[in-house]
Amino acid sequence: MTPLIEFQNAALGYGRKMVLQNISFTINAGDYFGMVGPNGAGKTTLLRVILGTLKPLSGEVKIHAHATEPLRFGYVPQRDTIDYIMPYTAQEVVMMGRYRQIGIFHKPQKHDRDIVLESLQHVDIADLRDWPFKDLSGGQKQRVLIARALASKPAVLILDEPTNGMDLSSRIAILELIHKLHEQDRLTVIFVTHLLDDVANYVKRVAIVEWNFFQVGEIDDVLTEKNLSSLYQMPVQVTHIDGSKVILAGGPRGN
Amino acid sequence: MGTNEIISTIIAEFSYALYGSIIVGALCAFLGVYIVAKRVVFLGAVLTQVSVLGLAITFLPFMMVSHTVGSLAVTILSVIILSRLLTGKKIPKDAVLGFVFVFSIAARILIMQKTPKVEVSEIENLLRGDILFVTPELFYMMLGVFVAALAVHGSFFKEFTYISFDAETARTQGFSANFWEMLFYIIAAIVIAVATHMVGDIFVFGFLVVPPLAAMLLVKRVKSIFLLSFFIGALAPVFGLFLAFKFDFPASPTIVAVASAVLILAWVLNVLRHR
């Protein structure tokens, strides 16, 4: 296994505000890695450190080179962080994923346009390429953002809450698409969500990021009834229906 | 005056006013697309008032700098300070902008009360800009700003649009969002400072907002919005100046009224199109 990202006893935060400490884990090439936790627990801080837009307060974070060039991330942000006021078409949005490779002072060439079309086809929305991004459904928007990340030809695909606010069918379709990208394209995937259900049946390894708590492990080792009940301080049941893992949390009514 | 006589008078005697208002209108309308897209319209209003304050400061007895230099210096300094204040989370952004807006107006009034150089009304005219009396020096300076601003924006169109659309992802690809944002706002500050000195705050703020909005209602492609806004910004002053001469109206408000009429027409067309 080739390590791509290594955290060694890192403390993460902003200025004097510590968000996470004693963080040590490794993400290897080919991993399908989930990060689960409530909003504000530190998932975004972790992501920023991985993406290089935030430096750790202490400790070490190593981002290893991939082949001969720096590790390239394909980042899919939360949809609601994007302002939809300007009517960019789907392919204009995907082309933004090529801007780094195109370089300053240069314009997109045929090669870039081919990659954009290929990326749109890969996520099954090539027919929507001339549609305004802002007029697409939540699921279609998410596919455009995934296509944009793929257009940068990344070694690691990072998705921040990709199923947020989606209906059930769109959510499953996006989860299946990400699974396909991991399985067929051998992409290393980091999937950030606040929903345990989103990662339970897809990722191989998971990090639970909670207030003052951080745990990393194989999905079957972390998502156990004992571990989750202890973590969430309530009875949690992990069961299987038709081969899929289902997590049920008992509420105050004792269910 | 007949139509031909008005046109020949404008071209012969007020050519700097005509060409100056065209380049200011076009440039402000182009930059205004970003201002509207970034939802920082109030910042445009604030910077026009800051640039007027910069002009007013040059009237103080101990100030030995030209009006344009004073206006540019104060506006650019304000952009740099605002860029720090607006990224903080302790004070709401619109409150910061509101403070700078009202402070600029209050400070300008106080400075004018204490300036001994000339009559207050004359200073007020200079502060507000007067299209009809654009000097060749000011026109050529504005022309230089026009060419430089468009050259930078033409060269870095994809960087500016990417940062404006999704700064977070652009940052993960190695683009320095802070650098591009700062470059954008410094260009905007220079344009607003020189343009406000030349044609006044109503014209400048009007053209930062009205043509972009009209273009957004009329066309549905990003590049078309920039182009159409640019052309509305360039053409509205021509018709506005003509109407100002024809009906003896003040030039700036008439030009803004023409642009506003285009916006209302665009809105009506947009409503009819979606019925």
Side-chain angles (χ1 to χ4, degrees):
Chain A
M1 282 193 293
T2 313
L4 295 181
I5 301 158
E6 281 184 274
F7 281 70
Q8 291 171 357
N9 202 25
L12 317 177
Y14 305 89
R16 276 176 289 179
K17 187 186 171 194
M18 182 93 73
V19 178
L20 292 165
Q21 51 188 325
N22 302 322
I23 303 298
S24 297
F25 69 99
T26 302
I27 296 175
N28 298 307
D31 254 353
Y32 192 166
F33 191 86
M35 276 189 210
V36 189
N39 295 330
K43 303 190 300 290
T44 303
T45 308
L46 258 174
L47 265 194
R48 285 182 178 163
V49 173
I50 292 172
L51 289 164
T53 58
L54 183 69
K55 293 205 181 315
L57 298 176
S58 65
E60 200 172 6
V61 177
K62 289 183 187 167
I63 308 292
H64 295 275
H66 183 67
T68 54
E69 59 176 30
L71 193 62
R72 193 180 292 165
F73 295 107
Y75 177 59
V76 182
Q78 294 186 31
R79 292 190 311 285
D80 56 12
T81 61
I82 294 172
D83 198 329
Y84 301 126
I85 194 166
M86 292 291 271
Y88 290 99
T89 62
Q91 65 182 339
E92 283 172 333
V93 173
V94 177
M95 183 61 84
M96 291 173 185
R98 297 291 308 157
Y99 282 177
R100 189 71 201 167
Q101 283 79 12
I102 292 168
I104 218 159
F105 290 120
H106 293 95
K107 290 184 172 175
Q109 303 297 313
K110 184 178 179 302
H111 166 69
D112 301 299
R113 287 190 285 275
D114 289 345
I115 290 174
V116 166
L117 186 58
E118 197 180 282
S119 304
L120 284 162
Q121 283 166 341
H122 209 53
V123 297
D124 303 322
I125 50 162
D127 54 328
L128 299 176
R129 61 183 176 273
D130 290 324
W131 279 49
F133 178 71
K134 64 179 185 173
D135 292 343
L136 300 176
S137 71
Q140 290 165 336
K141 280 193 184 98
Q142 199 62 60
R143 284 173 189 265
V144 172
L145 295 178
I146 292 172
R148 180 177 69 173
L150 295 177
S152 68
K153 300 286 176 191
V156 181
L157 183 65
I158 300 183
L159 305 106
D160 193 0
E161 303 277 5
T163 61
N164 223 2
M166 280 188 189
D167 61 53
L168 186 63
S169 62
S170 303
R171 182 175 150 243
I172 298 300
I174 289 295
L175 291 172
E176 288 295 332
L177 170 67
I178 298 164
H179 185 67
K180 184 186 93 174
L181 295 172
H182 169 68
E183 287 289 314
Q184 292 182 6
D185 301 350
R186 298 272 152 228
L187 260 179
T188 305
V189 175
I190 300 175
F191 187 114
V192 179
T193 179
H194 64 280
L195 300 170
L196 270 175
D197 287 339
D198 271 3
V199 296
N201 293 294
Y202 291 95
V203 307
K204 293 171 183 165
R205 295 170 64 230
V206 67
I208 305 275
V209 188
E210 288 276 346
W211 310 103
N212 301 317
F213 181 88
F214 185 80
Q215 183 184 25
V216 182
E218 297 293 319
I219 190 84
D220 290 331
D221 296 337
V222 175
L223 298 192
T224 62
E225 289 180 354
K226 188 180 171 191
N227 192 38
L228 294 178
S229 299
S230 157
L231 175 62
Y232 294 110
Q233 300 287 299
M234 64 168 71
V236 175
Q237 199 181 341
V238 180
T239 185
H240 289 81
I241 299 176
D242 289 339
S244 292
K245 201 173 274 154
V246 178
I247 298 165
L248 302 167
R253 284 173 292 176
N255 297 318
Chain B
M1 274 202 288
T3 303
N4 289 341
E5 198 182 348
I6 292 172
I7 293 170
S8 56
T9 303
I10 292 173
I11 292 174
E13 295 176 33
F14 296 96
S15 57
Y16 288 120
L18 175 65
Y19 302 131
S21 56
I22 289 172
I23 60 173
V24 169
L27 186 54
C28 287
F30 179 86
L31 292 180
V33 176
Y34 288 105
I35 301 264
V36 173
K38 287 168 179 280
R39 299 176 192 264
V40 291
V41 166
F42 194 30
L43 182 65
V46 169
L47 290 182
T48 54
Q49 293 311 317
V50 166
S51 70
V52 175
L53 171 63
L55 274 173
I57 288 172
T58 62
F59 284 98
L60 288 169
F62 52 87
M63 293 302 290
M64 297 298 169
V65 294
S66 73
H67 302 320
T68 311
V69 169
S71 177
L72 272 172
V74 171
T75 314
I76 292 172
L77 187 66
S78 301
V79 161
I80 293 167
I81 295 169
L82 279 172
S83 72
R84 306 293 297 177
L85 292 176
L86 293 177
T87 51
K89 290 181 178 170
K90 287 183 179 171
I91 310 172
K93 289 177 186 177
D94 51 356
V96 173
L97 292 173
F99 163 71
V100 178
F101 183 79
V102 77
F103 172 80
S104 302
I105 294 171
R108 184 187 80 212
I109 292 168
L110 292 175
I111 288 169
M112 281 168 55
Q113 289 297 319
K114 292 295 175 189
T115 182
K117 279 185 183 171
V118 276
E119 289 295 319
V120 167
S121 60
E122 287 178 39
I123 300 173
E124 184 69 36
N125 282 341
L126 189 57
L127 296 182
R128 291 285 170 189
D130 194 337
I131 298 175
L132 298 183
F133 299 101
V134 174
T135 61
E137 294 76 27
L138 202 49
F139 170 77
Y140 285 114
M141 181 184 286
M142 190 66 234
L143 186 62
V145 169
F146 176 83
V147 171
L150 284 187
V152 173
H153 271 273
S155 303
F156 304 119
F157 184 75
K158 64 182 194 304
E159 286 78 11
F160 282 123
T161 49
Y162 195 8
I163 300 295
S164 171
F165 177 70
D166 184 2
E168 187 189 350
T169 305
R171 207 174 277 127
T172 68
Q173 285 188 291
F175 291 96
S176 170
N178 291 344
F179 169 79
W180 292 108
E181 290 277 19
M182 184 58 81
L183 182 61
F184 172 80
Y185 285 118
I186 286 178
I187 291 170
I190 293 168
V191 170
I192 289 170
V194 179
T196 304
H197 184 22
M198 188 166 141
V199 298
D201 55 350
I202 297 171
F203 185 122
V204 173
F205 182 54
F207 275 68
L208 285 172
V209 179
V210 179
L213 275 180
M216 282 177 180
L217 289 170
L218 288 171
V219 290
K220 297 295 168 203
R221 287 284 183 268
V222 172
K223 283 185 181 170
S224 309
I225 289 173
F226 279 101
L227 273 176
L228 185 59
S229 183
F230 183 89
F231 283 113
I232 293 171
L235 290 175
V238 177
F239 290 102
L241 267 182
F242 174 81
L243 293 175
F245 272 82
K246 176 96 179 165
F247 299 105
D248 195 22
F249 286 145
S252 278
T254 311
I255 291 170
V256 174
V258 168
S260 302
V262 175
L263 172 59
I264 292 165
L265 187 65
W267 178 74
V268 171
L269 286 173
N270 192 54
V271 169
L272 291 175
R273 199 164 49 189
H274 289 96
R275 283 182 76 177

